Amino acid sequence: MGADYDLSKTGPSRNTDNVRRPDLVSGGVSRETMMTVYSGPVFEMAARQFNVIADHLDIPLDERDRILMPKRAITVSCPIHRDDGTVSVFEGYRVQHLLTMGPTKGGTRFAPSVDIGEVAALAIWMSWKCALVGLPYGGAKGGVNVDLARLSRRELEALSRRYMQEMIPFVGPHTDVMAPDMGTNEQVMAWFMDTYSVYQGRTVTEIVTGKPVFSGGTLGRREATGRGVAYLARRVMKELNVAPQGATAVVQGFGNVGSYAALELHRLGVKVIAVSNSTTALHDPDGLDIPALVRHVSAHGSIAGFSRELAFDPAQVLTLPCTVLVPAARERAIDGATAQNLKCRILAEAANGPTTPEADLVLERRRDEIFVIPDILCNSGGVIVSYFEWVQDLQQLFWDEDEVMRREYQILDRAFDQMLARAGADAVSHRTAAMAIGVEKVRATKNVRGLFP
Ligand code: NAD
């Protein structure tokens, strides 16, 4: 099987024994005349990626929609009282991709970009990720379309609580479990948990993960995604015979994931030479003082103001020469042109969907120059430790941090080995291999359970 990204692949699939002739839309999704609420570049990207995998796995056309299309999408209006006495209404979403594997699991994003297509794509990627690393979950994602810069803390609490209250009929510890994502944090998770618990009349810590440790959270969750990214980057360095002490890293996005990835890479001896956020970047060829930068961010909320001398153009960060490039900001950060200009040896995809299908074509050609750790593996430390938090909450038995990290790294190692073996056996890219393992598990479970009625 050859495979990989062929964007011209919008003609009929290789499954010629299937008589259905679909109207291929959204870059190759096998839907006949279906109207859909899902649209936009992020959803199209997820659908295109899926179609590549479905072709690679020879999945018949009439099975594809059942695997790809989300089971449920909920849209809610969240009215809140503003501090000035007026009322504002924010639109919120939750997409539950598949209920086949167990409860759904996924983050909640508060950002102005959020729409139902983006949320659906993120839910779909969560499904492949959970299946790849062997968690008993389907993917979900949620979000509210909001510019957090325009909300006071009291308004943010009101919005968080109202969003959760609107979701109560659709979520539950064995139905759908929320977690943080861009724009949400431990405090927001605590408000979600409290709101749900008030309605239940008892404390239900297991309704969300990513909570503060002292109210049912787990040790190591805050650090889990970034640490996992650094751990896998370190594993690849070993494979490539690169010593961390001689290596450099660049991190785009200095939020939860980016800052902990930078901190862990720094701790491993890697020189972190540049970091950025949406407005600012810092560059020091001799290596930034990451612990000092983290302290600055916790005191001032941003990397801005850390140093005037080291200020750099954020648009140039991705193409700096380095050993490890960590995109930890947003989806679609690396397009075809940027991929052509990348000067890293390892691309550790910390964000969800940071690489467009066009960029994938380029990375496919540059396979010997750049080792890609695909997002669904690279950032899976977050959901792995969220799973540990859920398990601990259900059992009311809590682990120490070493136990959490040991188990996280064990799962990452296993999934990494499986991805490498599959990429070698099928002669495909790491992304195709990782997604194929995830999609295959979902498909097998759907098929063995059957279709009701
Ligand atoms: P966050 O909100 O804590 O941080 C995001 C960071 O990205 C901020 O520093 C922001 O300024 C920066 N940013 C936004 N746009 C940017 C741009 N154009 N250029 C440079 N920087 C930009 O979010 P997070 O939780 O760290 O999530 C980051 C990514 O990781 C997202 O794609 C998210 O879906 C993914 N992810 C997060 C987790 C988790 O546990 N938080 C787990 C898996 C995947």
Side-chain angles (χ1 to χ4, degrees), residues 107-110 122 125-126 129 141 148 179-185 221-226 229 251-260 275-280 297 301-303 314-315 317-318 327-331 333 349-354 375 378-383 386:
T108 308
R109 180 173 284 195
F110 284 2
L122 290 161
W125 287 327
M126 273 299 281
K129 186 187 306 182
K141 207 78 180 189
L148 290 180
D181 192 75
M182 276 172 66
T184 57
N185 57 17
R221 173 60 185 90
R222 189 186 300 168
E223 302 86 354
T225 313
V229 170
V251 180
Q252 183 203 40
F254 207 70
N256 171 277
V257 179
S259 63
Y260 281 106
V275 303
S276 68
N277 67 16
S278 46
T279 53
T280 317
V297 171
S302 158
I303 61 173
V317 156
L318 290 172
R330 296 200 46 92
E331 56 280 352
E349 294 184 342
N352 285 308
D375 55 355
C378 193
N379 66 34
S380 63
V383 70
S386 274

Side-chain angles (χ1 to χ4, degrees), residues 87-125:
V87 170
S88 296
V89 179
F90 296 90
E91 197 160 270
Y93 315 97
R94 185 84 185 158
V95 174
Q96 297 166 349
H97 176 224
L98 42 93
L99 312 179
T100 316
M101 316 295 283
T104 48
K105 182 89 191 75
T108 308
R109 180 173 284 195
F110 284 2
S113 66
V114 169
D115 62 31
I116 197 132
E118 179 181 296
V119 170
L122 290 161
I124 290 166
W125 287 327

Side-chain angles (χ1 to χ4, degrees), residues 139-405:
K141 207 78 180 189
V144 177
N145 187 296
V146 57
D147 180 356
L148 290 180
R150 293 165 181 271
L151 290 193
S152 69
R153 183 182 158 90
R154 193 206 60 77
E155 291 169 336
L156 174 62
E157 177 174 354
L159 180 59
S160 304
R161 289 186 181 281
R162 187 61 191 243
Y163 172 77
M164 174 47 106
Q165 188 267 326
E166 297 292 345
M167 289 296 161
I168 284 176
F170 310 104
V171 298
H174 295 284
T175 311
D176 183 14
V177 180
M178 295 185 186
D181 192 75
M182 276 172 66
T184 57
N185 57 17
E186 291 176 13
Q187 176 60 77
V188 172
M189 293 307 112
W191 287 327
F192 282 178
M193 188 265 281
D194 184 70
T195 304
Y196 187 86
S197 298
V198 166
Y199 274 77
Q200 299 300 319
R202 67 191 169 89
T203 296
V204 188
T205 51
E206 59 272 25
I207 184 62
V208 294
T209 60
K211 302 175 292 294
V213 174
F214 53 85
S215 52
T218 181
L219 292 164
R221 173 60 185 90
R222 189 186 300 168
E223 302 86 354
T225 313
R227 272 186 188 156
V229 170
Y231 181 80
L232 289 171
R234 173 79 185 94
R235 253 216 74 170
V236 177
M237 280 188 244
K238 270 191 196 149
E239 302 270 336
L240 301 176
N241 278 322
V242 176
Q245 288 69 22
T248 55
V250 168
V251 180
Q252 183 203 40
F254 207 70
N256 171 277
V257 179
S259 63
Y260 281 106
L263 207 53
E264 188 63 11
L265 285 165
H266 176 84
R267 200 188 63 76
L268 291 169
V270 175
K271 216 190 278 179
V272 181
I273 57 168
V275 303
S276 68
N277 67 16
S278 46
T279 53
T280 317
L282 298 165
H283 178 218
D284 183 351
D286 294 328
L288 294 161
D289 182 346
I290 298 296
L293 188 55
V294 168
R295 286 194 296 277
H296 176 87
V297 171
S298 44
H300 305 282
S302 158
I303 61 173
F306 180 71
S307 158
R308 241 190 231 175
E309 298 76 57
L310 304 177
F312 190 69
D313 176 5
Q316 306 291 322
V317 156
L318 290 172
T319 50
L320 280 170
C322 61
T323 315
V324 187
L325 176 64
V326 182
R330 296 200 46 92
E331 56 280 352
R332 304 174 73 245
I334 300 173
D335 60 13
T338 308
Q340 199 64 58
N341 285 321
L342 292 182
K343 296 175 195 76
C344 58
R345 181 70 188 89
I346 300 165
L347 176 61
E349 294 184 342
N352 285 308
T355 305
T356 65
E358 289 78 7
D360 258 329
L361 283 176
V362 176
L363 291 170
E364 190 53 42
R365 287 197 292 274
R366 301 187 65 194
R367 207 194 286 194
D368 294 337
E369 297 165 63
I370 299 176
F371 189 113
V372 177
I373 313 174
D375 55 355
I376 62 167
L377 172 64
C378 193
N379 66 34
S380 63
V383 70
I384 291 169
V385 177
S386 274
Y387 164 66
F388 296 160
E389 181 173 334
W390 180 71
V391 166
Q392 292 171 78
D393 284 340
L394 288 171
Q395 297 186 340
Q396 290 296 297
L397 178 67
F398 292 89
W399 310 345
D400 63 28
E401 192 166 345
D402 285 350
E403 170 95 1
V404 170
M405 285 166 62

